[in-house]
């Protein structure tokens, strides 16, 4: 499974890159604006951190097919490899995804609020799908919709990858990893919560104290 960071915060990207194996970074217009930097500066900063094997996902802003394709071409030109144009699955977006595929542009279909929308984007040739788990949870059951989407792609032999997105808690991520998701893009607070457990720190403290009491040092070797 791929682990992707859902952030444009470069210090967070550096931090998690150091501690975990990160497969890429997803952004969207809202995430970019949170950085308080200009679009180009954000993208340059992120690209200066990522290695060639780590993917970058950048979302279009245009809402009409021609405009979406133009912006997707631009996104495609930002990097030699491993760059995806994120295209929301509006009606115009679905049309644009077909055009982008003819042009050889890698596409992550996004803003997916139902398994059917995701399935249609896969039929249109999207390389990957980003169903919005928490946003769907707010309307019904996000995890269940994504599990259905996994099944729909499988029984139809579609190669499209699902990158589950829009997480608000570790349980949502847990359920989808258990369900066989291929990739998750996780906000930094949720990822840090996945890493941390207070009992781990308490256990480590106890090991150290026991060692120190016995040998009067905190290192393995004397
Ligand atoms: C990532 O690709 C999505 O844009 C993102 O996960 C949406 O998250 P949100 O629902 O927290 O805005």
């Amino acid at each position: 499974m791929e682990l992707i960071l859902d952030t444009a915060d470069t210090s967070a990207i550096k931090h998690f890159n150091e501690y975990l194996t990160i497969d890429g970074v997803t952004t969207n217009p809202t995430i970019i604006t949170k950085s308080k930097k200009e679009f180009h500066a954000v993208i340059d900063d992120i690209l200066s951190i990522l290695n060639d094997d780590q993917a970058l996902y950048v979302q279009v802003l245009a809402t009409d097919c021609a405009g979406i394709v133009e912006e997707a071409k631009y996104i495609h030109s930002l990097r030699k490899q491993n760059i995806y144009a994120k295209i929301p699955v509006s009606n115009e977006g679905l049309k644009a995804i077909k055009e982008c595929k003819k042009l050889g542009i890698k596409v992550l279909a996004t803003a997916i609020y139902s398994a059917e929308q995701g399935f249609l984007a896969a039929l249109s040739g999207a390389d990957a799908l980003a169903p919005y788990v928490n946003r769907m949870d707010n309307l019904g059951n996000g995890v269940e919709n994504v599990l259905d989407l996994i099944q729909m792609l499988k029984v139809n032999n579609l190669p499209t990858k699902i990158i589950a997105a829009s997480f608000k808690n570790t349980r949502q991520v847990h359920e989808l990893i258990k369900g066989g998701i291929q990739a998750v893009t996780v906000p930094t607070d949720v990822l840090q919560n996945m890493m941390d457990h207070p009992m781990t720190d308490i256990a480590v403290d106890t090991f150290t104290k026991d060692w120190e009491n016995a040998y009067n040092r905190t290192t393995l070797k004397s």
Side-chain angles (χ1 to χ4, degrees):
M1 191 206 72
E2 288 182 26
L3 178 61
I4 299 170
L5 293 175
D6 202 18
T7 185
D9 176 345
T10 46
S11 30
I13 298 169
K14 282 184 196 152
H15 168 80
F16 287 108
N17 237 350
E18 211 175 309
Y19 290 93
L20 297 170
T21 301
I22 300 297
D23 295 290
V25 166
T26 49
T27 64
N28 64 31
T30 304
I31 289 173
I32 300 265
T33 59
K34 280 183 190 154
S35 73
K36 307 257 186 272
K37 290 189 271 186
E38 244 311 317
F39 172 70
H40 282 102
V42 182
I43 299 302
D44 287 350
D45 288 351
I46 296 174
L47 287 177
S48 72
I49 301 168
L50 299 184
N51 66 39
D52 290 350
D53 294 329
Q54 293 174 306
L56 177 61
Y57 302 82
V58 181
Q59 193 165 321
V60 299
L61 207 60
T63 52
D64 63 297
C65 178
I68 293 171
V69 174
E70 267 322 295
E71 289 186 352
K73 280 188 202 165
Y74 171 64
I75 291 166
H76 181 71
S77 74
L78 292 172
R79 200 184 188 198
K80 283 199 189 81
Q81 72 294 309
N82 253 333
I83 182 103
Y84 289 73
K86 285 181 70 187
I87 302 181
V89 293
S90 59
N91 286 199
E92 289 292 298
L94 287 169
K95 190 172 162 190
I97 290 170
K98 285 175 67 181
E99 292 300 315
C100 286
K101 286 327 295 167
K102 286 185 209 146
L103 298 169
I105 296 169
K106 282 201 178 93
V107 171
L108 168 60
T110 192
I112 293 171
Y113 278 80
S114 73
E116 304 85 79
Q117 275 187 320
F119 184 70
L120 291 176
L123 287 181
S124 293
D127 299 278
L129 310 172
Y132 277 3
V133 181
N134 189 67
R135 295 197 201 196
M136 282 195 277
D137 264 350
N138 291 338
L139 302 169
N141 192 331
V143 168
E144 194 178 289
N145 261 289
V146 180
L147 294 176
D148 282 354
L149 183 55
I150 293 175
Q151 205 48 30
M152 285 157 92
L153 298 179
K154 195 173 165 194
V155 297
N156 285 278
N157 292 318
L158 286 167
T160 321
K161 175 162 71 184
I162 304 177
I163 304 177
S166 177
F167 288 105
K168 282 292 169 286
N169 59 64
T170 59
R171 191 73 211 168
Q172 292 163 332
V173 185
H174 175 122
E175 291 298 334
L176 286 176
I177 296 173
K178 192 174 78 175
I181 195 75
Q182 294 143 312
V184 290
T185 183
V186 190
T188 55
D189 57 335
V190 175
L191 186 54
Q192 194 62 55
N193 285 340
M194 286 170 71
M195 289 169 75
D196 294 340
H197 198 297
M199 290 312 291
T200 303
D201 296 334
I202 291 169
V204 170
D205 268 0
T206 306
F207 293 137
T208 307
K209 276 179 198 137
D210 289 346
W211 195 268
E212 200 174 8
N213 288 340
Y215 303 118
N216 204 26
R217 63 172 197 271
T218 55
T219 54
L220 206 57
K221 294 194 283 182
S222 56

